Structure formats: structure tokens, C-alpha cells
Amino acid sequence: MYWPIDLIVLTFVIFCAIAAITVKDLLATAILFGAYSFMMCLLWAVMGAVDVAFTEATVGAGVSTVFFVAAIFRTSRRTKD
Amino acid sequence: MDNYPVLIVVVPLIAALLAGLAVWVEKRLSYPIALTGLALSTFCAVKVLMQVIATGPIQYKIAGWAPPMGIEYRIDLLNAMVLVIVSGIACLNLVASFESVSQETHDRTGAFYSIYCLFVTGLLGVTATGDLFNLYVLIEITSLSSYAMVALGDKDRGPLASLNYVFIGVIGASFYLLGVGYLYMQTGSLNMADVSLILAGHQGSSTVLTGFILCMVGLWIKMALFPLHVWLPNAYSYSPVAFSRAVAPLMTKVMIYVMIRLMITVFGYDYIFKTLHFSDAVVVLASIAILFGGVMALAQKNLKKMLAYIIVCEIGYMVGGAWMGNQLGMTGAILHILNDALMTFAVFLAVGNMVYKLKNVDLSNLTGIFGKMPWTMAGFVIAAFSIIGVPPTCGFFSKWYLIMAAFEKGAYHFAAALIISSLICAVLFFRVFEICFFPAVSPDHGELGHGESGHGELGHGKSDAHSPIQMEEAPVSMLIVSGLVSLSLIVVGLFSGTIVNTIILPFLK
Amino acid sequence: MLLYGTGEFPDWGDPYSPASVHLSNDYLEKAFDQTQVPNIVTAVLADYRGFDTMFETAVIFTAGLACFLLLRDFREKEERFYRHTATGVILHVKDSQKVLLVEREFEHMDKDWVPSDLIIRTVCRIIIPFIQIYGLYVIAHGDFSPGGGFQGGVILGSSLILLAISYNLKTLMRRVKEKILGIYAAVGVLIYVGIAVICMPMGGNFLDYSKLAPLLPSDPHHVRALGMLGVEIGVGIAVTAVMVIIYVNIVSAGRHDEGL
Amino acid sequence: MTDLLALIAAKYNYWLYVILMMIGLYAMIAKNNLIKKLVGMNIFQTAIILFYVSIGYKRDATLPIIENVHGGHGSVIHAINYINPLPHVLMLTAIVVSVATFGVAMALAVRIYQRYQTLEEDELRMRLSEK
């Protein structure tokens, strides 16, 4: 494992997590959450859990985000926090 | 046939799937399929219980792999008893709920039966399994199906109560999963028996301690022990009756079973009561839970909510008994699993009958119901006596064991809490009886006004229509089940000595 | 408290930590000989711990059923829907015309509707079959490479969702009827449970694939791998159907008529 | 001090998981919007998955897929060369469970919005007490 890449991915994971829960637009939350899942998936692929990474890529970054956007489409984008 | 242990769990699953298919093919088939599935499962459970009593624990290797590698079912006396309780109550409840389900869920009855079977599958699987991770998956099946069913209840508040339940349920399950992860890290195994063998060599490890605490906290959230109980009253009282009748007696009791299973089989007495030193604190917590549940129950205006708080109180009994650290306490707790499941079921059956007729069970709406529904109320009275702990009914005996255990341990606060809560229950139920016994004072129904305004109006119109006293009983199937269960309360009470001697004491040895 | 527990953890990546020594070595060393499946994760998932996976599929089924139960709203079935099915008789020949018809009716139904881009539409139409083939590959090839029934099912499901996004929900619902989805979801799990149950009259325990040998026309050595393949196909079908059910119910709030 | 640094360096994955879990828990408790809470819930679950995957990792080991399937039939498989597969299996199941929960929770959120036209918790509470 090449440590600078690792460090960058780790930073991104935490950054995306914090950003996803702080932005005030739910659509942005959805996209940041997708990015978070994808970073997580990279992290797992680096750790050798390819099956888990594959699942996370399809589920976390793919289908969850779509469900998310669908739910926002049916509710509202606005949020107070 | 030696496949009974797995059939107990798989038959309801198949029934759920077929019922799910029937939704699209022929809607009327769902109910008979579900009923057959649960009845078969009960049959298997009884078979297994008899076999276990005769020959000792059964081990079933799923997929034929030896335990630490594959998943195994290990059925001993405690398991077998809880399996019979769960499948029996689930089956009886289904018999009783045909009418109320079609009343409450309209065009979706088929899907409801399917998801109900999945719920029961989850509970049975949790009880039967001997694998820590399999337990987690099954807990999730149970919770997912209960989220869905809670949301189906009250149109206004059901979904919100359910979403809060989702958040708390997920936290609970995740804590449990995390605890299992810590244990796995220390032992490298997930099989309960195997883990406990390896753990014997790691008594002082902080990882094991953290894992233990995480598992326990997760389970406490799931069973709604006092400071973590907030989700329970709303979730139970806003759900459809057919479901609250099943979830109230079963869900928390199965979680308590899991706690006892982890305490005895995985960690062992020695670890919990000799190495760790917080069992007293848990007993204190349980006492507070008992008192709090009782007091909150007194403050409720709605019968269903009141009963939900009584469940919080009963959970305190069982947790306290299990953590007392002596044999009497454990006996009391296990016996109380059986008794409490039965009496909660009985009391919720009666409430279900009332809801079927009245729609709304605010206390102010129950006036004069004795005259209208005498059989229902007879069942209610027996169940209430059992919850209070009047001698011939079964509730008395488990409380007796618990109080004896408290005196043996010197935990007088727990004994005091038990007695006080019994008194509170007595006050509570006699208040209900009083309201139910006397018919509404006069035609003007002035006393109805102080109910919650929206509901009060609705109840007002309803009771107006029925103001001349006449028999307004619930359907026969509901009554028969109600009567049967109330009878069983007394029978179990009379035979509790036998139950303790054949099932619980041999298990604890 | 969590950090307190961390203090005694074995170092990260330590090959001799208890977790990687006790059981995993057994799996690693024996799995291939016993099952003939080189991807050990799949072997453990579908065979040693196949019971977990069965309930995992049941969880998915529960989720689909729950979404249906919570959101599905039968009340407002519009007659418009029938008109669409009437236009959709001819397939592929007059595709552009058919789409135009749908568009015209859609404009007054859905006020948020934006005309979708021709490029997006064409590209999606071209790539959807490839996505589906990839999904099938992932399901079938789960024994040898990462992937399996669940991932493949999700990919297949998302290809259908892509169809709904790039065209509109009606296009999807016209091709895949709700009834079909519901039946597939249940049948997928039933395939899994069925394979597991068949093992019992064949003399084995529940899920014991090795007892299926007399039923399958192949080398008994590979029978476990074949059993896993069957199971994965079941999982794939169920997951595909459930993903579409959840998406459709959420996006149209249970009406199944309009949506993203 | 160097001890502490060494401790952090050796176990930084575990630290990361604790941090993520706290972020998730914070979002679930402190946020007002129900969808934000759901995001928190998902982060919480992924943190646990990260924890499990970290348990399974072995230094200098390769993926748990046996090489040379067809050629080297007699060759012995050395467990030390492969990453522990069991946590991966468990986590596949956990991911599936978490997406199922997520879907159901989203459905609930849509139901709530249909009924109350809001997803903010304080507004919901206000609507409820109005009645």
C-alpha cells in the first residue's frame, strides 16, 4: 500500500462525511454521500476486500444515491441544517 | 426426521414467500398459507421440545459443515421452550386476527400476512441459532418487518413513530454488530460455543469487555430497558392491533432471551459476576425501570399506551432477575419470559377485541364496556390479575421467584420496586375496571369532553350509537383465542412447579 | 470507551492476530478442495455461511415488500395508463413516434417535467444492454472473480432504473409490469430456499449441496459449485426485482404513474 | 509522545472508524432533518463495515481468490498469503442489510412528507402538538 494515496483517500472520506451532513442542500448531500461511498469503496479495495468494495460501489455509490435522489424528488431539497 | 430444528424456521419463511406470491396471483390464498406455515412451525417446535426433554440438547449442522466453520443450530431446553412460546403465540394470534387485519389494512392484507410471517421467521431464527452473526441477520429481518408494520397503523403518527424506531433500532443492531466484531477480533470465531471456549482464556482483556458492553447495550436498546426505552410506547401503540398483539409479547421477550443466552452460553457466569463488577448497577437500573414504567403507565390516558409502559416495567423484572447473579433470579427471569409472553398476549388480545369494536381505546371511551363485551372483559380481568400477580395465575409465581432472589442477594431495592410496581398495577387495572364496569352516566356524555379533542369527538359519536346496553361482542375466532390464552394463564400458573423442574432447573445446571 | 477497547487490539495488518489465525486459515486452506470455487469469499458466502445469505436475501425481500406495503397507492389509477399500453403495441419499429406520443401526454400530467435530451436517451439505449450483459456476467462469474448474485442483481436493477431515468417511469412500467416484479422477487428467494430444501429429502442437512449430485448431470466434484451458481441466480433475480420495486415506489410515491 | 504516535500509526484504521462512527452518531442525534439523520445512519453503518474489513487485513497478503486454479492442482495453499475472507463475507451481508434499511427508511420519509409536508423534526413536532 502506497501511503500518500492512502492518506489522501482517508482525508477525503472524513471530508466527505462531514460535508455530507453539513451542507444545506439535500441534493448536494446526496452527491457528497455518493462520493463518500465511493471513497470508502476505494479504501476497501486497497485493503483487499474486493468483493466488499464491489458491493459498495454498486450499492452505496449507485443504488443508494439513486434512492436518495428519488426520495428528494418526492420530498423537498430544502433543509435548515 | 431429524430436520425439525431447521424446519421450525424455514417453514414460516417459505410460507411468507408463498403468501407474497399469492398477493399477485390469488389474494385470498395468503391467509391460509400463512396459517398453515405457522401451524406447521408450531408442530415442529413442540416436537423439538419433547425431543430435547427426552434426550438433551440437539445440534443441527446447517449445510453439513462442522460448527466453527458452518452455522449450527443448537437447541437446548431454554431455546426449545422459547421456540414453542414464539411459534404458538404467533400462530394463535394469526387465528385471532383475520377480521381485524382485513379491517385495518384494506387492500393489502396479502402483503401484511407475508411480512408477518417474515417477522415470525426472524424471531424464531434468533431463538434457534447458535451463531453470533446469524443472530444479527435475523434480528434485522425482525426489525425491518416490524418497521413496516408499525408504519401501517395509525395514519397520522404511525410513519413518524416507525422512523424513530428505525433510527434507534439501527443504532441498537449496529452496537450489537460492533460488539460481535470485538469478540471476533479477540477469538476469531463466531460460533457461540466456540467463542465461549476461547474467551475462557481472555478474561481480563479490555477488547472482550468492550465487546461485552457493546453487545449488552445494543440488546438493551432493542428490548427497551429503561433509559433506552423511548421508542417502545409510540411504536407499540400506533401499530395495527394484529401486529401489536404479536410484537408486544414476543419481541422484547426474545431479546431478553438473547441477553440470557449471551450471558450464560457465551460469556459465562464467572466472567459476568466474578470478573466484572457492575451487575449490581444493572439491577439498580432495572429497579428504576420498574418504577418508571409503573409511574408512566399511571399517567396515560390511552389503554394501549398504558400497556406499553407496563411492558417497560416488565422488562425491568426480567433484566433485574437475570443480573441478580443467583439461580433463583435466573429461574424467575426465565419463568417470567414464559409468563409475561402469555399474559401480555392475553391482555393485548382483549384490547384487540375492544379496538375492533370501538376503534379508539382512550380510557374515557371505555365506559360500560363490561356490559357490551362480557367475554372479552373476562379475559382482560384474568390477564390483569396475572400482571398484578394474584396467586392462582402464573404472574404470581415468577414474581415470587424474583422476590426470593432479591432477598437472597440482599437487593432490597429490587424487591421493593417489585412490590410497589405490583401495587401500581393493581391501582391501574382497578381504575380501568371501574371505568369499564359502569355504563356512561347519562345520555349527554358530558364526561367524554376531556379526552383528546379529535379522538374524543369520534368516540362520542360511536358510543352514542350504541348507548342502549346490548351484547356487542367481537368475532368468535377472537373470543376463542382470548379464552384459550386466559385459561392457559391459570394452567401455567398451576403447573409452574413442573415447568421449573423439567425445563429451567435442568437447563441451569 | 471505544478507544479504550482499541488499546489492546492487535496491530493493524498483523497476519498472526487471532482473527486471522483461528478460523480463516481453515477456510483458506480447505475451501478450494471442498468446493472447487476459487473465490473463497463466494465459497464462504454461499456455502459455509449460506444460511446467512439466505436470510440476507429474505431481508431484501422484506425491504421490497415493506416499500410496497408502505407506499403503494392503488387509488389513482388513471385511464392514461391504458392509452399508453395501447400505443405500445408496435415495438422498436416506430420508436421515435411512440416516444413522441408519450411525451405529449406527459406534459400535462407532470408539471416538473423537462424534455429529456436526445443524446442522453440514445446513449442510454445503447449502453443499457451492455450493462445488463455485464450484470449477468457478474452473477454467473461470481465463483471465479469478485461479484455474485447480489452485485449482479443490483447492476441489472440499476440498468432498469436507468431506463426509467433516461426515458420516463411509464416506459419502464410498460415493459416491466408490477406484477412480474412482485412475482420475481418472491420466486428468486424461493429458488434459494427451494435448492436448500431439496437437499433434505436427498439425505443431507439443510443447504447441503453435495447431496444434489444425483440430480445434476455433472462431475460430483463440482456439484457444490453448481449449487452455489443456482443460489446466486436466485439471489440475482430477487435483488433485481426488489431494487426496481423500491425505486419505483419511492420515486412515484406509490402511484406508479409519474416520476423521475 | 513517540509511543502515542506509533500507536496511532499502527492502528489508524481503527481511529478512523471511531471518528466516522462519531460523525454518524452526531448526525443522527443532533440533526434536525430526517434525511440528514438517514445519512448519519448510513455513515454509522459504513464505519462498522470499515472496522470489520480492517480486522481482516493482513500485510503482504493477496486477495482471497486462489490462483492457478487449473494448473497447480497439487500445490499447497498457504493461508498466510491470502487475506482473511470471513469478515468480507459478513460485511457483504451487512451492506445488504444496510441498503434494505435505507430503502425502507426512505419510503417512510416519503410517507411522512406526504402527510405533513415537511421533514424537519421541530416542525413535525409542532404539527403534532397542534392537533
Side-chain angles (χ1 to χ4, degrees):
Chain A
M1 197 146 115
Y2 186 54
W3 71 265
I5 296 182
D6 202 31
L7 201 66
I8 292 169
V9 174
L10 288 178
T11 326
F12 260 111
V13 166
I14 293 184
F15 172 74
C16 287
I18 293 175
I21 62 167
T22 39
V23 289
K24 289 204 191 314
D25 178 358
L26 284 181
L27 210 52
T29 301
I31 304 306
L32 279 166
F33 178 65
Y36 165 81
S37 294
F38 193 71
M39 289 297 160
M40 212 54 166
C41 146
L42 278 183
L43 195 60
W44 291 335
V46 168
M47 279 193 225
V50 270
D51 278 82
V52 184
F54 192 0
T55 317
E56 179 70 12
T58 52
V59 171
V63 171
S64 288
T65 315
V66 171
F67 288 168
F68 212 139
V69 174
I72 291 167
F73 177 73
R74 273 292 149 197
T75 59
S76 79
R77 268 176 85 161
R78 161 194 84 90
T79 170
K80 282 190 289 192
D81 57 6
Chain B
M1 276 281 273
D2 31 328
N3 284 321
Y4 282 123
V6 77
L7 281 180
I8 299 174
V9 182
V10 172
V11 168
L13 177 63
I14 296 175
L17 297 171
L18 290 178
L21 264 183
V23 173
W24 303 104
V25 184
E26 172 57 62
K27 277 191 183 150
R28 279 168 299 170
L29 281 178
S30 296
Y31 179 71
I33 290 173
L35 194 58
T36 321
L38 292 184
L40 278 177
S41 161
T42 314
F43 170 75
C44 297
V46 173
K47 265 280 209 239
V48 166
L49 176 64
M50 281 175 357
Q51 198 181 339
V52 171
I53 290 176
T55 61
I58 306 177
Q59 198 186 15
Y60 186 85
K61 298 194 274 285
I62 287 163
W65 298 110
M69 281 184 88
I71 296 171
E72 70 160 343
Y73 271 10
R74 186 180 293 235
I75 316 272
D76 54 23
L77 285 164
L78 178 60
N79 269 359
M81 185 184 86
V82 179
L83 282 173
V84 172
I85 299 172
V86 172
S87 55
I89 287 184
C91 184
L92 282 177
N93 179 33
L94 204 61
V95 173
S97 39
F98 182 66
E99 277 87 4
S100 69
V101 169
S102 38
Q103 185 195 37
E104 279 178 320
T105 53
H106 313 294
D107 49 355
R108 280 166 248 205
T109 44
F112 181 88
Y113 289 126
S114 174
I115 222 161
Y116 179 82
C117 283
L118 282 167
F119 172 74
V120 178
T121 309
L123 288 177
L124 290 170
V126 166
T127 316
T129 189
D131 189 277
L132 290 169
F133 190 77
N134 196 237
L135 191 71
Y136 166 76
V137 179
L138 285 151
I139 286 181
E140 282 297 338
I141 290 195
T142 316
S143 335
L144 261 182
S145 44
S146 48
Y147 303 149
M149 289 200 279
V150 167
L152 274 183
D154 191 294
K155 281 269 178 307
D156 291 340
R157 303 192 172 207
L160 193 56
S162 172
L163 195 58
N164 284 329
Y165 184 19
V166 171
F167 290 134
I168 295 179
V170 165
I171 294 184
S174 301
F175 271 144
Y176 173 77
L177 182 60
L178 200 57
V180 172
Y182 276 66
L183 290 182
Y184 174 70
M185 172 165 255
Q186 192 60 253
T187 62
S189 175
L190 289 166
N191 182 277
M192 287 184 189
D194 200 31
V195 167
S196 82
L197 271 183
I198 301 170
L199 277 186
H202 295 280
Q203 297 268 319
S205 154
S206 65
T207 312
V208 176
L209 177 63
T210 321
F212 176 69
I213 295 173
L214 283 170
C215 281
M216 283 299 146
V217 171
L219 290 173
W220 286 339
I221 292 177
K222 280 277 179 190
M223 74 174 74
L225 184 65
F226 160 61
L228 312 167
H229 70 280
V230 278
W231 58 271
L232 185 137
N234 279 343
Y236 283 11
S237 50
Y238 295 133
S239 56
V241 188
F243 174 63
S244 53
R245 268 196 311 233
V247 76
L250 298 182
M251 181 90 171
T252 48
K253 264 94 265 171
V254 168
M255 289 304 148
I256 284 171
Y257 157 76
V258 174
M259 182 185 81
I260 292 177
R261 166 68 57 195
L262 286 187
M263 284 168 71
I264 293 180
T265 309
V266 179
F267 293 94
Y269 266 124
D270 287 351
Y271 180 67
I272 295 170
F273 297 110
K274 298 209 178 106
T275 317
L276 307 180
H277 300 288
F278 55 82
S279 61
D280 289 338
V282 179
V283 176
V284 172
L285 201 65
S287 314
I288 299 173
I290 294 173
L291 290 177
F292 176 83
V295 172
M296 285 305 285
L298 268 181
Q300 299 305 317
K301 287 200 193 98
N302 182 298
L303 190 57
K304 247 175 144 183
K305 228 172 188 173
M306 184 186 105
L307 293 174
Y309 275 106
I310 290 181
I311 294 175
V312 173
C313 174
E314 303 276 343
I315 290 161
Y317 292 176
M318 285 174 269
V319 173
W323 282 81
M324 200 68 81
N326 51 23
Q327 202 183 23
L328 272 174
M330 202 50 107
T331 314
I334 294 174
L335 186 62
H336 205 69
I337 291 183
L338 168 66
N339 293 346
D340 191 39
L342 280 176
M343 58 208 199
T344 321
F345 184 45
V347 82
F348 268 85
L349 272 171
V351 172
N353 292 357
M354 295 179 206
V355 172
Y356 182 74
K357 278 291 164 200
L358 301 175
K359 305 283 184 301
N360 170 15
V361 286
D362 285 345
L363 288 181
S364 55
N365 200 20
L366 296 178
T367 45
I369 207 172
F370 253 109
K372 287 182 207 157
M373 312 174 80
W375 296 106
T376 303
M377 287 314 289
F380 185 74
V381 169
I382 296 178
F385 277 150
S386 181
I387 292 180
I388 297 167
V390 179
T393 54
C394 59
F396 169 75
F397 296 97
S398 42
K399 276 193 186 173
W400 179 253
Y401 277 110
L402 291 173
I403 291 180
M404 291 309 287
F407 279 124
E408 190 188 301
K409 180 84 189 297
Y412 296 106
H413 54 90
F414 186 68
L418 263 173
I419 292 167
I420 293 173
S421 87
S422 297
L423 289 178
I424 291 180
C425 282
V427 172
L428 212 62
F429 279 112
F430 279 104
R431 203 182 63 174
V432 177
F433 294 159
E434 190 193 339
I435 295 174
C436 295
F437 194 72
F438 295 108
V441 188
S442 58
D444 67 356
H445 296 288
E447 83 281 10
L448 282 178
H450 60 70
E452 287 170 49
S453 57
H455 291 304
E457 288 310 316
L458 195 112
H460 189 167
K462 196 75 192 166
S463 62
D464 228 7
H466 302 305
S467 47
I469 293 177
Q470 56 191 27
M471 297 284 275
E472 282 274 332
E473 268 297 2
V476 185
S477 60
M478 291 169 136
L479 284 181
I480 291 177
V481 174
S482 182
L484 214 63
V485 176
S486 309
L487 210 65
S488 76
L489 286 178
I490 297 174
V491 174
V492 169
L494 293 179
F495 286 96
S496 52
T498 328
I499 294 173
V500 169
N501 286 330
T502 49
I503 297 181
I504 300 173
L505 288 182
F507 169 73
L508 290 176
K509 277 292 172 306
Chain C
M1 195 196 77
L2 295 169
L3 292 177
Y4 166 69
T6 328
E8 275 194 21
F9 278 5
D11 279 354
W12 185 62
D14 178 9
Y16 295 102
S17 67
S20 0
V21 172
H22 177 58
L23 210 52
S24 80
N25 286 4
D26 284 353
Y27 283 129
L28 288 166
E29 282 163 9
K30 291 180 195 154
F32 182 63
D33 280 346
Q34 286 172 346
T35 64
Q36 298 294 314
V37 169
N39 184 356
I40 299 173
V41 175
T42 309
V44 179
L45 185 78
D47 198 345
Y48 296 98
R49 301 192 67 88
F51 201 56
D52 271 352
T53 314
M54 190 176 90
F55 284 110
E56 165 196 330
T57 326
V59 167
I60 283 289
F61 177 71
T62 317
L65 203 61
C67 278
F68 167 79
L69 208 54
L70 288 176
L71 285 172
R72 188 71 177 101
D73 189 348
F74 290 109
R75 277 173 307 178
E76 296 190 17
K77 260 192 176 165
E78 285 127 74
E79 60 280 72
R80 292 194 189 102
F81 187 78
Y82 299 106
R83 268 192 278 156
H84 282 296
T85 34
T87 55
V89 183
I90 311 154
L91 278 174
H92 287 290
V93 186
K94 294 185 176 179
D95 221 349
S96 57
Q97 262 190 3
K98 186 183 73 187
V99 169
L100 268 176
L101 258 172
V102 174
E103 270 178 13
R104 217 178 299 139
E105 283 162 26
F106 245 67
E107 259 174 324
H108 69 264
M109 288 172 53
D110 192 351
K111 65 175 193 295
D112 301 330
W113 183 80
V114 215
S116 47
D117 196 356
L118 185 67
I119 298 174
I120 293 180
R121 231 175 239 208
T122 319
V123 170
C124 286
R125 202 165 65 217
I126 294 169
I127 65 172
I128 283 173
F130 289 104
I131 296 179
Q132 285 172 339
I133 288 175
Y134 181 60
L136 290 175
Y137 161 78
V138 169
I139 293 180
H141 218 247
D143 295 358
F144 301 98
S145 59
F150 185 72
Q151 292 92 328
V154 171
I155 292 174
L156 279 177
S158 42
S159 77
L160 293 176
I161 293 174
L162 182 61
L163 182 70
I165 292 177
S166 61
Y167 285 74
N168 51 46
L169 199 61
K170 280 213 158 150
T171 319
L172 175 67
M173 294 317 289
R174 204 164 50 229
R175 300 209 176 164
V176 194
K177 294 279 186 305
E178 192 193 6
K179 187 176 172 183
I180 303 286
L181 287 176
I183 289 178
Y184 274 177
V187 165
V189 191
L190 268 179
I191 290 178
Y192 201 139
V193 184
I195 288 179
V197 169
I198 289 173
C199 302
M200 289 199 291
M202 302 297 292
N205 278 358
F206 191 74
L207 264 174
D208 197 345
Y209 303 129
S210 59
K211 296 294 185 294
L212 291 175
L215 293 181
L216 295 170
S218 92
D219 181 11
H221 219 58
H222 283 98
V223 72
R224 281 189 176 273
L226 280 173
M228 280 181 229
L229 183 63
V231 161
E232 299 273 14
I233 290 171
V235 176
I237 294 174
V239 170
T240 311
V242 168
M243 288 302 148
V244 180
I245 291 177
I246 296 180
Y247 171 76
V248 162
N249 275 315
I250 289 181
V251 83
S252 66
R255 296 276 161 75
H256 287 202
D257 49 5
E258 55 186 72
L260 206 57
Chain D
M1 192 59 203
T2 45
D3 279 0
L4 192 65
L5 274 180
L7 192 70
I8 292 173
K11 295 171 185 176
Y12 66 98
N13 262 42
Y14 298 130
W15 289 84
L16 179 70
Y17 115 79
V18 173
I19 293 170
L20 284 176
M21 206 159 120
M22 289 306 128
I23 292 174
L25 209 55
Y26 163 76
M28 281 173 88
I29 292 166
K31 288 291 166 180
N32 195 23
N33 187 294
L34 292 177
I35 297 218
K36 280 279 174 68
K37 286 190 168 202
L38 282 178
V39 176
M41 185 179 98
N42 234 310
I43 292 175
F44 187 77
Q45 286 172 326
T46 7
I48 291 172
I49 298 172
L50 175 65
F51 169 67
Y52 268 83
V53 172
S54 310
I55 299 177
Y57 184 70
K58 280 188 221 169
R59 217 173 287 117
D60 303 326
T62 180
L63 311 180
I65 296 175
I66 308 286
E67 293 165 87
N68 304 324
V69 180
H70 302 293
H73 218 58
S75 66
V76 189
I77 297 157
H78 294 291
I80 198 137
N81 294 332
Y82 294 97
I83 294 171
N84 182 358
L86 188 53
H88 301 181
V89 174
L90 305 183
M91 283 315 103
L92 282 178
T93 312
I95 290 179
V96 174
V97 168
S98 79
V99 71
T101 320
F102 190 68
V104 173
M106 279 299 179
L108 283 170
V110 172
R111 265 289 287 271
I112 292 173
Y113 189 82
Q114 280 179 332
R115 178 69 189 73
Y116 295 104
Q117 303 302 315
T118 177
L119 284 176
E120 306 286 321
E121 221 176 21
D122 50 351
E123 289 176 22
L124 280 172
R125 225 174 271 133
M126 239 162 56
R127 299 269 164 94
L128 281 178
S129 57
E130 268 169 23
K131 293 185 40 143

